[in-house]
Amino acid sequence: QSELPSDILAALLQVGWQHEVNYPTEAGLSLDVAQPSSKCGIDIESPSGYLRNPKTGSFVENGAIRLKSRLLEARRWTVVQIPSFEWAKLATHERAPYLESKLAKTRR
């Protein structure tokens, strides 16, 4: 993505997550938001990045997203996916706690 929603960037700053935007990794893959020093990244994914399980109605990442995550994880990056459709449903006061719960994965 070339332009991230400003509300996501503002919420990241609100939770104290310093970052770079549209960060190109050494693997030749870019992350929407990254902390290069800790090798933690965030990708904000559109609905087209997910497949819906017709039996349960739940969403799972598609193959392209899974491959990108695996390639980055092989280079010791921790990658967090934020589905844009989940973000859009959040009220303003829910956004910081949502990010904090997602970013808990990046704390080693």
Side-chain angles (χ1 to χ4, degrees), residues 34-69:
Q35 280 186 338
S37 61
S38 61
K39 294 191 102 169
C40 297
I42 297 173
D43 267 337
I44 293 88
E45 300 297 344
S46 69
S48 65
Y50 294 85
L51 305 172
R52 183 177 222 146
N53 181 325
K55 292 181 181 178
T56 65
S58 63
F59 290 92
V60 295
E61 298 165 348
N62 69 20
I65 291 174
R66 285 183 170 188
L67 176 61
K68 180 180 178 181
S69 291

